[in-house]
Amino acid sequence: MASTMSRCLRGVLFGTVLLSRSAAAQEVPARLQETFGPVLNLSGTPTFNFEFQTAVSDGNVYIVWSDTSSQDVTHVYLRRSSDQGRSFEPPLRLSNNTGSAYLPTVVAEGKKVYVAWYEQGIQFRVSHDNGRNFAPAVTLAAHGLSPRLAAENSDVYVTWTEPTGARSATQRFRASHDKGLTFGPTLALDDRHGTGVTEMTASNNRVYMVGDNIDADDRPDVYMRTSPDEGTAFAPRLNLSVGEGPGQPSLLARIAVKDQKVHVVWEECNDLFPDTCTILYRRSSDRGASFGPTQAMSGGRGFALAPDLEISGQHVFVAWQDDSPGNFDILLRTSNDHGATFSAPRNLSLSPGYSGAVSLSAAQSHLRVAWEDTTAGSVDIFYRASGDLGASFTPVTDLSNTPTRSSAPRVFASSGGSHGYVAWLEDLTSENTDVFFRRTEAK
């Protein structure tokens, strides 16, 4: 482990990946300068750690993950940093030890930290003191998978999928209005084939869900549901991708909400065995009651996959992996007018290797981007950042810089944007994957 970590730390000295001369000549000099902390192994066990999620509130950083021990029992753990990611407290096991626990999710709202996971049903725990102490686990449902969380003020919302047959499922939902101490009744939101929520968020006492659903044609569409009254009731589902025609799979939807405006992106392919996939975008100016026309973010040829979406004020950012440059690169489009218009696509990776699994974070004027890249030989985590809302970017930096496989990056930031955080999975051996972490700070 020590030798592996020493190889990781080489990224402090040798992590900057130089662009080609022609590409660098087109780059606007970066107005942002950052310092990087050391690589930290947060899980640190000789077992299989996976399914990590992240949250941040004020100076506190939270990471949850699943860890499969040598006895093949999976537990859910949390680690907390109270000093903006410089150091972390020891791992805290949140699961009950009543069975395998996995699929954890976490959100933080002020001093409140909420965690949900699957363990013989949907389990939930809350902390009201920045994660120092957690109340005992509460079973929200006896059955269910894939919990999602959202929180705003004193409200916390939990949704999950409950299988009802080989090809059917019901989306369930519960709301708490007292900081997770008690929950209202369970709502059944629909009963269709393969229903699943990919993301849920809360804003201005409203709840928004986006996901995909496989209907009669076995092709998923992107649906959205909204609650105008803190989760008491939900409006009928709205099919955002129906205009793209039958037989076209619509997947991997992401949602972002600011004031009355709702933004959704997704991946749209021309068949279940496609030769073309496109990144599509729609926005609503009336809190999701209706949506404007679909806009294509990508060029419409080749494969544009796995989008991510972030907003900061009136600025909207959409990134994805795209093979139209000749190999998979990371492309970015930005909007400065709430998504009414977008810039031309910008190639952020500009590398001869494979680039994918992009993750975005936007806070105030800071935009951070992380992705997987094979340019260095193995799969590493590459990173760029902007301090002026995407007008200029720092050079590409290899954050992991290891001979082993680094994957599934997730970038996030403090509310002011000056502190950035990147977590990822590191395959140390064929039987050992750990959760790694690195912090950045604007000078």
Side-chain angles (χ1 to χ4, degrees):
M1 180 64 68
S3 61
T4 301
M5 287 302 298
S6 66
R7 290 194 297 269
C8 294
L9 292 174
R10 290 182 305 166
V12 175
L13 297 177
F14 304 109
T16 300
V17 178
L18 298 179
L19 300 175
S20 68
R21 290 186 178 182
S22 60
Q26 301 173 10
E27 291 282 325
V28 176
R31 300 182 180 92
L32 175 69
Q33 291 184 327
E34 289 189 299
T35 58
F36 295 90
V39 175
L40 303 178
N41 185 337
L42 296 187
S43 48
T45 65
T47 53
F48 186 54
N49 299 272
F50 60 111
E51 296 175 343
F52 77 93
Q53 297 289 325
T54 63
V56 62
S57 180
D58 300 324
N60 297 280
V61 181
Y62 309 95
I63 313 285
V64 296
W65 71 92
S66 301
D67 180 3
T68 300
S69 69
S70 58
Q71 289 76 32
D72 292 328
V73 177
T74 303
H75 298 294
V76 169
Y77 289 90
L78 175 141
R79 290 195 75 174
R80 177 182 82 106
S81 169
S82 59
D83 56 6
Q84 297 169 325
R86 293 178 178 86
S87 63
F88 281 79
E89 296 175 0
L92 172 65
R93 195 179 79 187
L94 295 180
S95 50
N96 298 314
N97 202 28
T98 58
S100 289
Y102 48 92
L103 299 170
T105 182
V106 59
V107 296
E109 173 78 8
K111 294 183 178 181
K112 305 176 291 295
V113 186
Y114 306 107
V115 183
W117 68 94
Y118 168 83
E119 184 182 6
Q120 294 185 349
I122 302 301
Q123 306 294 324
F124 173 87
R125 292 188 74 173
V126 57
S127 169
H128 294 126
D129 57 4
N130 298 115
R132 294 182 182 89
N133 301 281
F134 277 83
V138 175
T139 301
L140 296 183
H143 305 283
L145 296 169
S146 303
R148 300 286 186 268
L149 286 170
E152 183 186 34
N153 301 321
S154 296
D155 300 323
V156 57
Y157 309 103
V158 188
T159 187
W160 64 93
T161 302
E162 181 180 317
T164 56
R167 292 179 53 80
S168 62
T170 296
Q171 195 69 34
R172 304 288 188 183
F173 174 90
R174 293 187 74 175
S176 169
H177 305 298
D178 56 7
K179 304 177 184 179
L181 295 177
T182 63
F183 279 83
T186 301
L187 303 183
L189 299 187
D190 45 35
D191 190 3
R192 300 289 184 94
H193 297 292
T195 304
V197 169
T198 55
E199 198 165 19
M200 178 171 62
T201 189
S203 177
N204 293 324
N205 300 321
R206 290 172 173 258
V207 185
Y208 302 87
M209 298 181 185
V210 69
D212 50 70
N213 178 294
I214 299 176
D215 284 313
D217 62 359
D218 286 338
R219 267 66 168 175
D221 282 319
V222 169
Y223 287 88
M224 198 191 76
R225 296 199 72 161
T226 62
S227 170
D229 50 12
E230 299 178 318
T232 302
F234 280 81
R237 297 187 312 161
L238 182 62
N239 189 332
L240 297 183
S241 60
V242 65
E244 303 311 308
Q248 297 197 175
S250 309
L251 295 166
L252 303 176
R254 302 300 307 272
I255 187 170
V257 180
K258 177 68 175 179
D259 299 326
Q260 296 189 19
K261 294 181 173 59
V262 183
H263 311 267
V264 180
V265 296
W266 69 92
E267 169 192 310
E268 182 92 16
C269 297
N270 64 346
D271 192 74
L272 282 178
F273 302 96
D275 54 30
T276 299
C277 293
T278 306
I279 304 302
L280 300 183
Y281 165 86
R282 293 187 74 177
R283 72 164 184 159
S284 168
S285 297
D286 54 9
R287 299 177 176 174
S290 62
F291 277 78
T294 302
Q295 298 183 54
M297 294 287 100
S298 55
R301 62 184 180 88
F303 291 94
L305 306 170
D308 202 4
L309 168 69
E310 281 285 307
I311 57 175
S312 180
Q314 69 190 44
H315 305 276
V316 184
F317 307 96
V318 180
W320 65 95
Q321 64 186 75
D322 199 308
D323 71 349
S324 61
N327 58 287
F328 274 108
D329 274 321
I330 302 302
L331 302 190
L332 172 74
R333 295 189 70 176
T334 64
S335 171
N336 300 325
D337 53 11
H338 301 283
T341 61
F342 280 85
S343 67
R346 176 176 183 170
N347 192 329
L348 289 182
S349 51
L350 289 166
S351 69
Y354 166 89
S355 304
V358 64
S359 176
L360 286 177
S361 171
Q364 301 298 330
S365 63
H366 292 83
L367 176 65
R368 293 178 169 90
V369 190
W371 66 92
E372 299 175 4
D373 204 293
T374 64
T375 299
S378 60
V379 182
D380 282 334
I381 304 303
F382 280 17
Y383 169 89
R384 299 189 75 178
S386 170
D388 50 18
L389 294 163
S392 65
F393 278 87
T394 58
V396 178
T397 298
D398 186 343
L399 290 184
S400 54
N401 196 31
T402 65
T404 53
R405 184 175 186 268
S406 311
S407 64
R410 184 177 296 270
V411 61
F412 54 115
S414 61
S415 58
S418 59
H419 296 90
Y421 313 104
V422 184
W424 67 90
L425 295 176
E426 191 75 24
D427 293 345
L428 300 178
T429 70
S430 61
E431 297 180 352
N432 178 203
T433 298
D434 276 318
V435 180
F436 277 28
F437 173 90
R438 200 167 182 189
R439 70 184 297 273
T440 73
E441 184 173 354
K443 291 184 178 179

